[in-house]
Amino acid sequence: MKKSRFQYFILFLLIIFLGIISRKISFVPLCIGDFLYAVMIYVLARSILINKKSIQIALLSLLICYSIELLQLYEAQWIIELRKTLFGRYVLGQGFLWSDILAYTFGILFIFLIEKTIFKNIIYETRFRIKQ
């Protein structure tokens, strides 16, 4: 099965929607939003780097998520002002938390395993049908 940039992009938009909704519903734990943020980064990286191995995408996604979280320790006036905007709040976050690092790790691991499982099964089924 050929991986489609369009399919990953649609999934990317769906995850953004779910992430925003998760922040608006009070009974959903905040870590779910961070989990979805990591999944979104993975899907975005996958849609851009469609032919790279899943492990490379997972490591790149973790690097991006961890870097953004560590950037929250930087408190220059210009970045504080940027974080006050809607874009800055959603993309850069508000403050460093170790729990965010954990949520990012689980989010990337989750989508990595899902992708490996789904594509492994689809490829196996395709090979099985061709051989018959």
Side-chain angles (χ1 to χ4, degrees), residues 23 30-42 58 61-70 72 89-112:
R23 295 293 185 181
L30 289 176
C31 65
I32 297 299
D34 298 317
F35 178 92
L36 289 171
Y37 183 84
V39 171
M40 179 202 65
I41 294 293
Y42 182 95
S61 301
L62 279 173
L63 178 66
I64 291 168
C65 289
Y66 291 171
S67 297
I68 290 172
E69 190 66 24
L70 289 172
Q72 293 175 18
R89 190 169 49 255
Y90 281 142
V91 175
L92 300 175
Q94 299 289 59
F96 178 84
L97 294 171
W98 284 106
S99 60
D100 290 353
I101 297 286
L102 193 60
Y104 297 151
T105 304
F106 283 121
I108 299 293
L109 184 61
F110 171 79
I111 191 65
F112 171 77

Short mmCIF file of all heavy atoms in Angstrom, two decimals, residues 23 30-42 58 61-70 72 89-112:
data_model
loop_
_atom_site.label_atom_id
_atom_site.label_comp_id
_atom_site.label_asym_id
_atom_site.label_seq_id
_atom_site.Cartn_x
_atom_site.Cartn_y
_atom_site.Cartn_z
N ARG A 23 -8.84 20.54 24.93
CA ARG A 23 -8.55 21.66 25.84
C ARG A 23 -9.82 22.38 26.28
O ARG A 23 -9.81 23.08 27.28
CB ARG A 23 -7.59 22.66 25.19
CG ARG A 23 -6.22 22.11 24.89
CD ARG A 23 -5.46 21.80 26.15
NE ARG A 23 -4.10 21.39 25.80
CZ ARG A 23 -3.20 21.04 26.67
NH1 ARG A 23 -3.49 21.04 27.95
NH2 ARG A 23 -2.01 20.68 26.29
N LEU A 30 -5.30 17.37 30.96
CA LEU A 30 -4.45 18.20 30.11
C LEU A 30 -3.40 17.38 29.37
O LEU A 30 -2.98 17.75 28.27
CB LEU A 30 -3.77 19.29 30.93
CG LEU A 30 -4.69 20.40 31.44
CD1 LEU A 30 -3.92 21.37 32.32
CD2 LEU A 30 -5.34 21.13 30.28
N CYS A 31 -2.98 16.27 29.95
CA CYS A 31 -1.93 15.47 29.32
C CYS A 31 -2.41 14.87 27.99
O CYS A 31 -1.60 14.56 27.11
CB CYS A 31 -1.42 14.38 30.25
SG CYS A 31 -2.65 13.13 30.66
N ILE A 32 -3.72 14.74 27.80
CA ILE A 32 -4.26 14.23 26.53
C ILE A 32 -3.93 15.20 25.40
O ILE A 32 -3.58 14.80 24.30
CB ILE A 32 -5.78 13.98 26.63
CG1 ILE A 32 -6.09 12.91 27.67
CG2 ILE A 32 -6.37 13.61 25.27
CD1 ILE A 32 -5.48 11.56 27.39
N GLY A 33 -4.02 16.48 25.67
CA GLY A 33 -3.66 17.48 24.66
C GLY A 33 -2.19 17.38 24.28
O GLY A 33 -1.84 17.49 23.10
N ASP A 34 -1.32 17.17 25.26
CA ASP A 34 0.10 17.02 24.98
C ASP A 34 0.38 15.73 24.22
O ASP A 34 1.22 15.69 23.32
CB ASP A 34 0.91 17.06 26.28
CG ASP A 34 0.75 18.39 27.00
OD1 ASP A 34 0.80 19.43 26.32
OD2 ASP A 34 0.57 18.38 28.23
N PHE A 35 -0.32 14.68 24.58
CA PHE A 35 -0.24 13.40 23.88
C PHE A 35 -0.61 13.59 22.41
O PHE A 35 0.11 13.16 21.50
CB PHE A 35 -1.18 12.41 24.57
CG PHE A 35 -1.25 11.05 23.95
CD1 PHE A 35 -0.42 10.04 24.41
CD2 PHE A 35 -2.16 10.76 22.95
CE1 PHE A 35 -0.48 8.76 23.86
CE2 PHE A 35 -2.24 9.49 22.40
CZ PHE A 35 -1.40 8.49 22.85
N LEU A 36 -1.74 14.27 22.17
CA LEU A 36 -2.19 14.52 20.80
C LEU A 36 -1.24 15.46 20.05
O LEU A 36 -1.06 15.32 18.84
CB LEU A 36 -3.61 15.10 20.81
CG LEU A 36 -4.70 14.12 21.21
CD1 LEU A 36 -6.03 14.85 21.41
CD2 LEU A 36 -4.85 13.02 20.17
N TYR A 37 -0.63 16.40 20.76
CA TYR A 37 0.35 17.30 20.15
C TYR A 37 1.51 16.50 19.57
O TYR A 37 1.95 16.73 18.45
CB TYR A 37 0.85 18.30 21.21
CG TYR A 37 1.80 19.34 20.69
CD1 TYR A 37 1.33 20.50 20.09
CD2 TYR A 37 3.18 19.18 20.81
CE1 TYR A 37 2.20 21.46 19.62
CE2 TYR A 37 4.06 20.13 20.33
CZ TYR A 37 3.56 21.28 19.74
OH TYR A 37 4.43 22.23 19.27
N ALA A 38 1.99 15.52 20.33
CA ALA A 38 3.09 14.68 19.86
C ALA A 38 2.66 13.84 18.67
O ALA A 38 3.41 13.69 17.70
CB ALA A 38 3.59 13.78 21.00
N VAL A 39 1.45 13.30 18.72
CA VAL A 39 0.92 12.52 17.60
C VAL A 39 0.83 13.42 16.36
O VAL A 39 1.20 13.02 15.25
CB VAL A 39 -0.45 11.90 17.95
CG1 VAL A 39 -1.10 11.27 16.73
CG2 VAL A 39 -0.30 10.88 19.08
N MET A 40 0.40 14.65 16.55
CA MET A 40 0.29 15.60 15.45
C MET A 40 1.65 15.88 14.82
O MET A 40 1.78 15.91 13.60
CB MET A 40 -0.34 16.90 15.94
CG MET A 40 -0.46 17.96 14.88
SD MET A 40 -0.59 19.63 15.53
CE MET A 40 0.99 19.85 16.31
N ILE A 41 2.66 16.07 15.65
CA ILE A 41 4.02 16.33 15.15
C ILE A 41 4.50 15.14 14.33
O ILE A 41 5.08 15.29 13.25
CB ILE A 41 5.00 16.64 16.31
CG1 ILE A 41 4.62 17.96 16.99
CG2 ILE A 41 6.44 16.66 15.82
CD1 ILE A 41 4.80 19.19 16.15
N TYR A 42 4.26 13.93 14.82
CA TYR A 42 4.65 12.72 14.09
C TYR A 42 3.96 12.66 12.74
O TYR A 42 4.60 12.41 11.71
CB TYR A 42 4.30 11.48 14.92
CG TYR A 42 4.71 10.18 14.26
CD1 TYR A 42 5.92 9.57 14.58
CD2 TYR A 42 3.89 9.54 13.34
CE1 TYR A 42 6.30 8.37 13.99
CE2 TYR A 42 4.25 8.35 12.74
CZ TYR A 42 5.46 7.77 13.07
OH TYR A 42 5.84 6.60 12.47
N ALA A 58 9.89 8.90 14.11
CA ALA A 58 9.65 8.90 15.55
C ALA A 58 10.75 9.68 16.28
O ALA A 58 10.46 10.50 17.15
CB ALA A 58 9.56 7.48 16.09
N SER A 61 10.46 13.39 15.51
CA SER A 61 9.30 13.94 16.21
C SER A 61 9.60 14.16 17.70
O SER A 61 9.23 15.19 18.27
CB SER A 61 8.09 13.02 16.06
OG SER A 61 7.78 12.85 14.71
N LEU A 62 10.26 13.18 18.30
CA LEU A 62 10.66 13.34 19.71
C LEU A 62 11.61 14.52 19.86
O LEU A 62 11.47 15.32 20.80
CB LEU A 62 11.33 12.07 20.23
CG LEU A 62 10.39 10.96 20.67
CD1 LEU A 62 11.19 9.70 21.01
CD2 LEU A 62 9.54 11.38 21.85
N LEU A 63 12.56 14.66 18.95
CA LEU A 63 13.50 15.77 19.00
C LEU A 63 12.76 17.11 18.91
O LEU A 63 13.04 18.04 19.67
CB LEU A 63 14.53 15.64 17.87
CG LEU A 63 15.55 16.76 17.78
CD1 LEU A 63 16.47 16.76 18.99
CD2 LEU A 63 16.36 16.62 16.50
N ILE A 64 11.80 17.20 18.01
CA ILE A 64 11.02 18.43 17.86
C ILE A 64 10.23 18.72 19.13
O ILE A 64 10.27 19.84 19.66
CB ILE A 64 10.09 18.34 16.64
CG1 ILE A 64 10.91 18.34 15.35
CG2 ILE A 64 9.07 19.48 16.63
CD1 ILE A 64 10.13 17.98 14.10
N CYS A 65 9.52 17.73 19.64
CA CYS A 65 8.69 17.92 20.85
C CYS A 65 9.54 18.31 22.05
O CYS A 65 9.20 19.24 22.79
CB CYS A 65 7.90 16.66 21.16
SG CYS A 65 6.55 16.34 20.00
N TYR A 66 10.63 17.59 22.25
CA TYR A 66 11.51 17.89 23.39
C TYR A 66 12.13 19.28 23.25
O TYR A 66 12.24 20.02 24.23
CB TYR A 66 12.62 16.85 23.52
CG TYR A 66 12.18 15.47 23.93
CD1 TYR A 66 13.07 14.41 23.91
CD2 TYR A 66 10.88 15.19 24.35
CE1 TYR A 66 12.70 13.12 24.29
CE2 TYR A 66 10.50 13.92 24.73
CZ TYR A 66 11.41 12.89 24.70
OH TYR A 66 11.04 11.63 25.07
N SER A 67 12.49 19.65 22.03
CA SER A 67 13.09 20.98 21.80
C SER A 67 12.10 22.09 22.12
O SER A 67 12.46 23.09 22.75
CB SER A 67 13.57 21.11 20.35
OG SER A 67 14.59 20.18 20.08
N ILE A 68 10.87 21.92 21.67
CA ILE A 68 9.85 22.93 21.96
C ILE A 68 9.60 23.03 23.46
O ILE A 68 9.47 24.12 24.01
CB ILE A 68 8.55 22.63 21.18
CG1 ILE A 68 8.78 22.88 19.70
CG2 ILE A 68 7.39 23.46 21.70
CD1 ILE A 68 7.65 22.44 18.79
N GLU A 69 9.59 21.88 24.13
CA GLU A 69 9.38 21.90 25.59
C GLU A 69 10.56 22.57 26.30
O GLU A 69 10.36 23.39 27.20
CB GLU A 69 9.18 20.47 26.11
CG GLU A 69 8.72 20.40 27.54
CD GLU A 69 7.33 20.97 27.78
OE1 GLU A 69 6.51 21.02 26.84
OE2 GLU A 69 7.05 21.36 28.93
N LEU A 70 11.77 22.26 25.89
CA LEU A 70 12.94 22.88 26.50
C LEU A 70 13.02 24.38 26.19
O LEU A 70 13.51 25.16 27.00
CB LEU A 70 14.23 22.18 26.05
CG LEU A 70 14.43 20.77 26.62
CD1 LEU A 70 15.61 20.09 25.96
CD2 LEU A 70 14.61 20.83 28.13
N GLN A 72 10.69 26.32 26.32
CA GLN A 72 9.84 26.99 27.29
C GLN A 72 10.62 27.49 28.50
O GLN A 72 10.14 28.32 29.26
CB GLN A 72 8.69 26.08 27.70
CG GLN A 72 7.73 25.81 26.57
CD GLN A 72 6.66 24.82 26.91
OE1 GLN A 72 6.39 24.54 28.06
NE2 GLN A 72 6.03 24.27 25.89
N ARG A 89 0.74 30.25 22.13
CA ARG A 89 0.24 29.40 23.20
C ARG A 89 0.09 27.95 22.74
O ARG A 89 0.47 27.02 23.42
CB ARG A 89 -1.08 29.96 23.73
CG ARG A 89 -1.57 29.31 25.00
CD ARG A 89 -2.74 30.04 25.65
NE ARG A 89 -3.84 30.39 24.77
CZ ARG A 89 -4.08 31.63 24.32
NH1 ARG A 89 -3.28 32.63 24.67
NH2 ARG A 89 -5.10 31.87 23.52
N TYR A 90 -0.46 27.76 21.53
CA TYR A 90 -0.68 26.40 21.03
C TYR A 90 0.61 25.73 20.55
O TYR A 90 0.78 24.53 20.73
CB TYR A 90 -1.70 26.38 19.90
CG TYR A 90 -3.13 26.46 20.39
CD1 TYR A 90 -4.08 27.20 19.70
CD2 TYR A 90 -3.55 25.79 21.53
CE1 TYR A 90 -5.39 27.27 20.13
CE2 TYR A 90 -4.85 25.87 21.97
CZ TYR A 90 -5.77 26.60 21.26
OH TYR A 90 -7.07 26.67 21.70
N VAL A 91 1.48 26.48 19.93
CA VAL A 91 2.69 25.87 19.35
C VAL A 91 3.84 25.83 20.35
O VAL A 91 4.51 24.80 20.48
CB VAL A 91 3.11 26.62 18.06
CG1 VAL A 91 4.42 26.09 17.52
CG2 VAL A 91 2.02 26.50 17.01
N LEU A 92 4.08 26.92 21.05
CA LEU A 92 5.23 27.00 21.95
C LEU A 92 4.92 26.61 23.38
O LEU A 92 5.83 26.31 24.16
CB LEU A 92 5.82 28.41 21.93
CG LEU A 92 6.31 28.90 20.58
CD1 LEU A 92 6.76 30.35 20.68
CD2 LEU A 92 7.43 28.02 20.05
N GLY A 93 3.65 26.61 23.76
CA GLY A 93 3.29 26.25 25.13
C GLY A 93 3.53 27.38 26.10
O GLY A 93 3.99 28.45 25.75
N GLN A 94 3.23 27.11 27.37
CA GLN A 94 3.29 28.14 28.40
C GLN A 94 4.45 27.96 29.38
O GLN A 94 4.97 28.92 29.88
CB GLN A 94 1.98 28.18 29.17
CG GLN A 94 0.78 28.52 28.33
CD GLN A 94 0.78 29.96 27.89
OE1 GLN A 94 1.70 30.42 27.23
NE2 GLN A 94 -0.26 30.67 28.25
N GLY A 95 4.80 26.75 29.71
CA GLY A 95 5.85 26.53 30.69
C GLY A 95 6.33 25.10 30.65
O GLY A 95 5.59 24.19 30.26
N PHE A 96 7.56 24.91 31.05
CA PHE A 96 8.17 23.58 31.03
C PHE A 96 7.56 22.68 32.10
O PHE A 96 7.41 23.09 33.25
CB PHE A 96 9.68 23.69 31.27
CG PHE A 96 10.37 22.36 31.31
CD1 PHE A 96 10.76 21.74 30.14
CD2 PHE A 96 10.60 21.71 32.52
CE1 PHE A 96 11.40 20.50 30.17
CE2 PHE A 96 11.22 20.48 32.56
CZ PHE A 96 11.62 19.87 31.39
N LEU A 97 7.19 21.46 31.70
CA LEU A 97 6.71 20.45 32.64
C LEU A 97 7.29 19.09 32.24
O LEU A 97 7.27 18.72 31.06
CB LEU A 97 5.18 20.34 32.61
CG LEU A 97 4.37 21.54 33.10
CD1 LEU A 97 2.90 21.34 32.81
CD2 LEU A 97 4.60 21.72 34.59
N TRP A 98 7.76 18.36 33.23
CA TRP A 98 8.25 17.01 32.96
C TRP A 98 7.13 16.10 32.49
O TRP A 98 7.34 15.18 31.70
CB TRP A 98 8.94 16.43 34.19
CG TRP A 98 10.31 17.01 34.40
CD1 TRP A 98 10.67 17.92 35.35
CD2 TRP A 98 11.49 16.73 33.64
NE1 TRP A 98 11.99 18.24 35.22
CE2 TRP A 98 12.53 17.51 34.18
CE3 TRP A 98 11.78 15.91 32.54
CZ2 TRP A 98 13.83 17.49 33.67
CZ3 TRP A 98 13.07 15.89 32.03
CH2 TRP A 98 14.07 16.68 32.60
N SER A 99 5.93 16.36 32.96
CA SER A 99 4.79 15.54 32.53
C SER A 99 4.53 15.69 31.03
O SER A 99 4.05 14.75 30.38
CB SER A 99 3.54 15.89 33.34
OG SER A 99 3.20 17.24 33.15
N ASP A 100 4.84 16.87 30.48
CA ASP A 100 4.70 17.05 29.04
C ASP A 100 5.68 16.17 28.27
O ASP A 100 5.33 15.57 27.25
CB ASP A 100 4.92 18.52 28.65
CG ASP A 100 3.80 19.42 29.11
OD1 ASP A 100 2.77 18.90 29.62
OD2 ASP A 100 3.95 20.65 28.98
N ILE A 101 6.90 16.07 28.78
CA ILE A 101 7.92 15.21 28.16
C ILE A 101 7.40 13.77 28.14
O ILE A 101 7.51 13.07 27.12
CB ILE A 101 9.26 15.29 28.92
CG1 ILE A 101 9.85 16.71 28.85
CG2 ILE A 101 10.24 14.24 28.44
CD1 ILE A 101 10.45 17.09 27.53
N LEU A 102 6.82 13.35 29.23
CA LEU A 102 6.27 12.00 29.32
C LEU A 102 5.11 11.81 28.34
O LEU A 102 5.03 10.79 27.64
CB LEU A 102 5.82 11.73 30.76
CG LEU A 102 5.52 10.31 31.15
CD1 LEU A 102 6.75 9.42 30.98
CD2 LEU A 102 5.05 10.25 32.59
N ALA A 103 4.22 12.78 28.27
CA ALA A 103 3.08 12.70 27.35
C ALA A 103 3.55 12.67 25.90
O ALA A 103 3.02 11.91 25.08
CB ALA A 103 2.13 13.89 27.57
N TYR A 104 4.57 13.46 25.56
CA TYR A 104 5.13 13.45 24.21
C TYR A 104 5.71 12.07 23.88
O TYR A 104 5.51 11.54 22.79
CB TYR A 104 6.21 14.50 24.04
CG TYR A 104 5.76 15.92 24.21
CD1 TYR A 104 6.63 16.90 24.67
CD2 TYR A 104 4.45 16.32 23.93
CE1 TYR A 104 6.23 18.21 24.83
CE2 TYR A 104 4.05 17.64 24.09
CZ TYR A 104 4.95 18.57 24.53
OH TYR A 104 4.56 19.87 24.69
N THR A 105 6.42 11.51 24.83
CA THR A 105 7.05 10.20 24.62
C THR A 105 5.98 9.14 24.36
O THR A 105 6.10 8.36 23.41
CB THR A 105 7.91 9.82 25.84
OG1 THR A 105 8.88 10.85 26.07
CG2 THR A 105 8.62 8.49 25.61
N PHE A 106 4.94 9.12 25.18
CA PHE A 106 3.87 8.15 25.00
C PHE A 106 3.09 8.40 23.70
O PHE A 106 2.67 7.46 23.03
CB PHE A 106 2.93 8.12 26.19
CG PHE A 106 3.47 7.38 27.36
CD1 PHE A 106 3.63 8.01 28.59
CD2 PHE A 106 3.85 6.05 27.26
CE1 PHE A 106 4.15 7.34 29.68
CE2 PHE A 106 4.36 5.36 28.34
CZ PHE A 106 4.52 6.00 29.56
N GLY A 107 2.89 9.67 23.34
CA GLY A 107 2.19 9.99 22.10
C GLY A 107 2.94 9.50 20.87
O GLY A 107 2.36 8.88 19.98
N ILE A 108 4.26 9.75 20.83
CA ILE A 108 5.08 9.30 19.70
C ILE A 108 5.14 7.77 19.67
O ILE A 108 4.99 7.16 18.61
CB ILE A 108 6.51 9.88 19.79
CG1 ILE A 108 6.48 11.41 19.74
CG2 ILE A 108 7.40 9.30 18.69
CD1 ILE A 108 6.05 12.02 18.46
N LEU A 109 5.33 7.17 20.82
CA LEU A 109 5.37 5.70 20.89
C LEU A 109 4.04 5.10 20.42
O LEU A 109 4.02 4.14 19.65
CB LEU A 109 5.68 5.25 22.32
CG LEU A 109 5.84 3.75 22.53
CD1 LEU A 109 7.01 3.21 21.70
CD2 LEU A 109 6.07 3.47 24.01
N PHE A 110 2.94 5.69 20.83
CA PHE A 110 1.61 5.22 20.44
C PHE A 110 1.43 5.26 18.93
O PHE A 110 1.08 4.25 18.31
CB PHE A 110 0.53 6.07 21.14
CG PHE A 110 -0.86 5.81 20.65
CD1 PHE A 110 -1.56 4.70 21.09
CD2 PHE A 110 -1.47 6.68 19.76
CE1 PHE A 110 -2.85 4.46 20.64
CE2 PHE A 110 -2.75 6.44 19.30
CZ PHE A 110 -3.44 5.33 19.75
N ILE A 111 1.67 6.41 18.32
CA ILE A 111 1.44 6.53 16.87
C ILE A 111 2.45 5.71 16.08
O ILE A 111 2.12 5.14 15.04
CB ILE A 111 1.40 8.02 16.42
CG1 ILE A 111 0.87 8.14 14.98
CG2 ILE A 111 2.74 8.69 16.55
CD1 ILE A 111 -0.55 7.73 14.78
N PHE A 112 3.67 5.60 16.58
CA PHE A 112 4.68 4.75 15.93
C PHE A 112 4.20 3.30 15.90
O PHE A 112 4.24 2.65 14.85
CB PHE A 112 6.01 4.88 16.67
CG PHE A 112 7.06 3.91 16.21
CD1 PHE A 112 7.75 4.12 15.03
CD2 PHE A 112 7.37 2.79 16.97
CE1 PHE A 112 8.72 3.22 14.61
CE2 PHE A 112 8.33 1.89 16.56
CZ PHE A 112 9.01 2.11 15.38
#
